[in-house]
Amino acid sequence: MNIKQYKPILQASIISVIALLIHKTIFLLFAPNLVESEFIYSLPELYGLFFLLSALILFILIKISQISMTNVGFIFLFLTTFKMGVAYVFLKPILKPHLANPSIEKINFLVVFLLFLTIETWITIQLINTKKQ
């Protein structure tokens, strides 16, 4: 087993930890009155959920790239669509009107989702480009 092939998952974990720390810092600096415990999902929970989904996607893409490089793009699209479905299931409680600060929680969810989508896309592009060389 070559550990070097799983470097993209390590990259994603480092980026996600840095992003979580930056997100928490911005949250504390610009919205110190908001209590994160009132949210349905705290920032660490959101980052944990999306990191697990992204790590699973990247792991599958690494395995697929070893078998057939031509299918990596299609598998990425399929897995990303599946992830969007899972994200919607987790987003449904946030969309209900009974929350104290629904817009901030929706923004947090969207920011984290888009961050991990960007990370996955970037790493997938790297994976495809390194195999073409």
Side-chain angles (χ1 to χ4, degrees):
M1 182 168 103
N2 187 1
I3 294 180
K4 191 175 183 180
Q5 67 189 3
Y6 298 109
K7 182 181 172 189
I9 297 173
L10 178 63
Q11 289 174 333
S13 63
I14 291 169
I15 293 169
S16 64
V17 168
I18 292 169
L20 173 61
L21 294 175
I22 291 170
H23 198 153
K24 280 285 248 192
T25 304
I26 290 171
F27 197 80
L28 292 173
L29 289 176
F30 295 108
N33 297 334
L34 290 176
V35 180
E36 191 179 345
S37 63
E38 294 176 3
F39 290 166
I40 293 176
Y41 305 114
S42 67
L43 286 178
E45 289 173 336
L46 283 177
Y47 275 84
L49 168 70
F50 284 112
F51 174 72
L52 288 176
L53 290 172
S54 292
L56 178 65
I57 288 172
L58 293 173
F59 179 77
I60 292 170
L61 289 176
I62 290 168
K63 290 298 182 185
I64 294 296
S65 71
Q66 294 170 351
I67 298 169
S68 171
M69 194 49 149
T70 58
N71 293 328
V72 171
F74 294 117
I75 299 297
F76 172 74
L77 291 173
F78 173 75
L79 293 173
T80 302
T81 304
F82 176 75
K83 181 180 128 179
M84 288 174 63
V86 171
Y88 179 73
V89 169
F90 282 94
L91 179 65
K92 274 185 99 166
I94 297 173
L95 297 176
K96 296 187 179 174
H98 67 0
L99 297 174
N101 294 311
S103 61
I104 293 175
E105 193 161 4
K106 289 175 192 175
I107 290 169
N108 280 338
F109 194 91
L110 180 64
V111 165
V112 175
F113 178 80
L114 291 176
L115 171 74
F116 279 96
L117 181 61
T118 303
I119 292 169
E120 290 167 17
T121 305
W122 176 63
I123 291 175
T124 301
I125 290 169
Q126 282 185 332
L127 186 67
I128 290 171
N129 285 340
T130 57
K131 294 294 182 178
K132 284 186 177 181
Q133 296 175 356

